[in-house]
Structure formats: structure tokens, C-alpha cells
Amino acid sequence: MGVTPLAIMLGLTAAALWWLAGHEDYRPFMPGLVEGAAVTMRITVAGAILAVAAALTAGLARLYAPAPLRWLAVTYVELFRGTSALVQLFWLFFVLPQFGVTIDAFTVAVLALGLNVGAYGAEVVRGAVLAVPLHQWEAGLALNLSRRQIVARIILPQAVVAMIPPWGNLFIELLKGTSLVSLITLADLTFRAQQMNQTTMQTGPIFTLVLLGYLFMSLTITIGMRLMERRAIRGLGRRA
Amino acid sequence: MIWDWAFAIEILPRLGQAAIVTVQATVMGFALAATLGLGLTLARIAWPRTALPISVGVELVRSTPLLIQIFVLYFVGPEIGLVLDALTAGTLAIGVHYAAYCSEVYRAGFEAVPRSQWEAAEALNLNRGTALMRIILPQAIPPVIPALGNYLVALFKETPLLSAIAVLELMQTAKIIGSESFRYTEPITLVGLFFLGMSLISAALIRLVEARITQGVRR
């Protein structure tokens, strides 16, 4: 879908949330859910930063690093892509303490989700870098630039443009993945919803609000990434 | 003692039983996703008017977490008279969620078939339905099979979410074993290894299928 229909959906979602927030059946749940949404957003942002850092490191290591580092990157990617995000979360939360390493739930959430998405992102980085035409590399060589300069100044800036749309999808996956942290006792949006559901049994209103809340956040990410993509394309001097 | 082999071997049969439920949920969920996804795409082609509501629906399903969708189906369903047992509700939610993704994959497949194929079918006096089923569909599906395979693996890795509504699949069983024995290391690690093994095997299978298909398409 284009940006305009997405923006219309975002507007409708916001309007629906606003309208429901004033409704007496829904109003009591708003403060708790807003707090939960704040936790969800914090995990998403922190996880996204970690994911981008891990993806760039692993993706570039897989392409340019010496063999042992390259193997490490491949192992990381396959391990985190090959097992379930929930299993990773549980492993870090329940199993790691038995090896004497205890990490608080928030850090576990950011680590597990960030590294999980980062593993998928590493493949995105690798694909985008490989998609930059080879003659760009040759042109860099002809200008007597060092390997590092070629990667940092010539290849990456062009690869970033191709990375933006898949990263948009990955950030949505990350946002949706944060709902799993409710299962390791973090009070995110999903956790608050379950808790309120158990105490009030008002299942319909609560989950309606939660769905709208997630929808609002996803659409914001999608639209933001689309706008960023347009800018990046313009920055390269190609048609928007 | 951090890792207890005797305990690991002792719990294997129970985890094996649970793995059957996981595989069941995967197969049924993916069957639903693949057929419903294709149905949505075909509806979009056959009746262009349905394109907007379908793409809004797909966007809605893709933008909200699967876990919440499972909860909604399982907890809100009974309020509107839809009482499902946990496994059915969970499998249904997974199936519908991935149908949204699959429909986009199929759509890409159909869009990749050259327009001239439609025109050639028309020139041969085939009606739209026949052209779609006999000419377009057989060309649209094979190229997207690897992409569908990737979603099968992704769906498989989402099945631990069913533990949240107490389906006795792998993760839930591992958690129960953990809470009974206070040993989480072996059950959760074994579950992780099971998923890793299955994912690597299916990734290899997908590459094999991909190689086969690209061979078949080359003229």
C-alpha cells in the first residue's frame, strides 16, 4: 500500500483509540495500557538499536572479515534464525541463571529480541551490499581508496537505500515480537492486557484497545520507514 | 552439575510426544495459510473490487502481534459464541496470520506472470476462469514456492506461542518439566536444539526445491 492509504489507516486508528478512550467501558483500562505501551516502545527502540548494530557487524563481518570472525558471524546468524524467538527468550531468562549469569528481564528482552532481529538483519545487510554493482568497487580502487574507505564511503551509502524497506519489515517484526516479553514477566502492553483480563474479565474492550495500540505503533513505523526510503533515494540522486 | 545427561535422556520421550503436537500445529496451520492465502489472492484477481478490503485486512493482520491474535480468538471468541479448544484456536490464529503473508507472496507470483500470457489466453478464446486456472496459476505458483517455504519455517518457529494458551506443545511441555523438577537447562536447551535442527533441515530442503524449480523454468 502507498503512504496515503497507510496514513488514512493511521488516522482512523488514532481516531478510534481517541473515541474509545472517552467511552466508559474502555476508559478504566487506558492508564494501565498506556503504561504497558510505553514499556513496549522502550523495548522496541532499544531492541532496534541493538538489532541494527548486530546486523551491520555480522553482515559486514560475513563479507569482509578474516575467516574465524566470518565463521563466528555465520554461527550467530544461523543460531538466532534457526531457533524460535520465544525459546531464545526463555533460554536467556531461565537457563542462563543456572550458569551463574542472571540478567534482569528488561535486558533479556532487549538482548533476545535485538539479537534475533539482528540475525535476520545481517542477511539483509549482506544482500544489500552484494547488490551494489561491482564496478563501484572497481571505481573506488581506481581512485586509490583503501578497502575501508571503499566500504564506508562508496558501498555502504548505496547499500543503505536497498536496506530500508526490509528493515521496515524487520522493525514491525520486532514490535510484534515484544509481545513475547509478557511471558517473562515484563509489564508490556500484552502483559497488562492479560492481567486486566484476568481481574476484570472485560476481554472484548481490553483486547480491542490492545490491537488498536499495536496497529497504531506498526503503522507509525511503516510510514516512517517509507518516508525515510523516499529521502534516501533522493539523496542518491535517483528518482523518488 | 550444569548439564545432566541422564535427566536429558529421561525427558526425551515426553518432549518427543510434544513435538508431535508442534508438528501437527505447523502442518495444519500452514495448510490453512497456504490455501486461504491463495484464496485471498484469487479473489483479488477475480473481483477487483475486493482488492481494497483485502489489502486493508492483510495490513491489519500483519501489523498486530500473533500472540494477541491468539488471545483474541481464544478469549474473545467464546463471547461471540465461538468456543474452540486451545489447539484449534491457536492453529486457526497462526493459519490466518500467515495467510496474510502468503497472500502477498502469491500476489508477487501472479504479478510476475507477463500480461501477454493473459492476452494469449484471450486470443485462444479461453474464458477468464480457465485462463486463470490453466495458464496463469501454473506459471505463478512454482517461482514462489521457496518464499512459501521460508514462511513455513517462520510459522514453525512461531508455534511455541501456543504455550501461552496452554497447548501441550514443545515449549509448554518444557516449561512443565522445568517447574516440576526445577531443571530448566535440559528441557529448554533440547527444545532449542530441536528447532535449530528442524530449521536447518528445512532450509536445506528449500534450497534443493529452489534449485529444482529454477532448472525447470530455464528454457
Side-chain angles (χ1 to χ4, degrees), chain A residues 193-213:
Chain A
Q194 271 182 286
Q195 210 179 23
M196 289 175 181
N197 183 37
Q198 274 154 16
T199 46
T200 64
M201 302 300 280
Q202 293 288 308
T203 314
I206 294 172
F207 279 108
T208 308
L209 286 174
V210 170
L211 278 177
L212 287 171

Side-chain angles (χ1 to χ4, degrees), chain A residues 64 136-155:
Chain A
Y64 302 122
Q136 294 285 333
W137 186 278
E138 288 159 0
L141 281 181
L143 292 171
N144 206 16
L145 299 178
S146 69
R147 256 171 78 91
R148 184 183 298 258
Q149 277 177 315
I150 296 176
V151 172
R153 300 272 183 90
I154 311 242
I155 305 295

Side-chain angles (χ1 to χ4, degrees), chain A residues 18-106:
Chain A
W18 186 256
W19 183 70
L20 288 176
H23 198 281
E24 58 182 313
D25 288 345
Y26 294 81
R27 200 186 307 131
F29 305 117
M30 284 306 280
L33 292 179
V34 168
E35 270 176 49
V39 175
T40 296
M41 277 189 250
R42 274 171 52 209
I43 299 172
T44 309
V45 172
I49 295 170
L50 176 62
V52 171
L56 281 174
T57 314
L60 293 179
R62 203 167 164 178
L63 285 170
Y64 302 122
L69 277 177
R70 203 164 61 224
W71 297 330
L72 198 68
V74 173
T75 313
Y76 157 66
V77 169
E78 291 303 326
L79 196 64
F80 275 85
R81 288 203 315 166
T83 53
S84 176
L86 187 60
V87 178
Q88 289 156 21
L89 213 55
F90 275 31
W91 204 89
L92 288 179
F93 193 67
F94 290 114
V95 179
L96 219 48
Q98 311 211 0
F99 291 92
V101 185
T102 309
I103 314 175
D104 70 294
F106 184 82

